[in-house]
Amino acid sequence: MGPIRQLQAFVCAQTFWPQFMIRFFQAEKGPFTIFFYCPLAKWGISIANINDMIKKPVETVNPVQQSVITLTGTLIARWCWVLSPRQYMLVVCNSVMACTGIIQLWRKHQAGLLF
């Protein structure tokens, strides 16, 4: 048994947890798996991009960076849809990431600064 499983067993063995929390800790996509933390990190990219849309002028938008954000969001959203078990939260956050990249590229295009 690896260190993560040992930690999971230790946490679940504590008697103060309500039953629903123990089920959450032992879930296939619970906090002791990568499936829980990966969407958390991806939301950070999307939120930063939304913040840039609101606060930064369109001249500072880097089209290469936004193209990579768009392509990464699109490709990984598709990959997470095919993955078993399906990662709905990761599909949603990658789709939002792709949409924010598209919006940023559209803003750049509207300003006449894209090409």
Side-chain angles (χ1 to χ4, degrees):
M1 183 159 55
I4 301 298
R5 293 291 175 206
Q6 288 176 341
L7 179 62
Q8 182 183 23
F10 174 77
V11 169
C12 291
Q14 304 305 312
T15 57
F16 56 82
W17 295 113
Q19 193 60 34
F20 75 92
M21 287 298 292
I22 292 174
R23 283 193 308 272
F24 172 65
F25 291 146
Q26 294 173 338
E28 188 177 43
K29 300 180 219 173
F32 290 97
T33 66
I34 189 67
F35 303 121
F36 183 76
Y37 293 100
C38 196
L40 204 61
K42 291 285 194 166
W43 277 116
I45 296 170
S46 298
I47 291 169
N49 220 5
I50 291 169
N51 186 45
D52 288 348
M53 278 187 246
I54 296 169
K55 294 186 176 181
K56 291 190 177 178
V58 72
E59 292 81 22
T60 62
V61 172
N62 184 343
V64 175
Q65 178 187 22
Q66 296 305 320
S67 298
V68 169
I69 286 174
T70 302
L71 287 173
T72 303
T74 305
L75 293 174
I76 294 178
R78 170 67 179 134
W79 178 70
C80 293
W81 188 257
V82 175
L83 193 69
S84 180
R86 278 216 174 123
Q87 300 299 314
Y88 298 111
M89 191 61 181
L90 201 51
V91 170
V92 169
C93 71
N94 277 298
S95 298
V96 170
M97 190 170 84
C99 288
T100 59
I102 289 169
I103 292 169
Q104 288 282 57
L105 288 171
W106 180 251
R107 286 180 62 220
K108 192 82 166 176
H109 175 73
Q110 288 292 91
L113 301 170
L114 192 55
F115 294 109

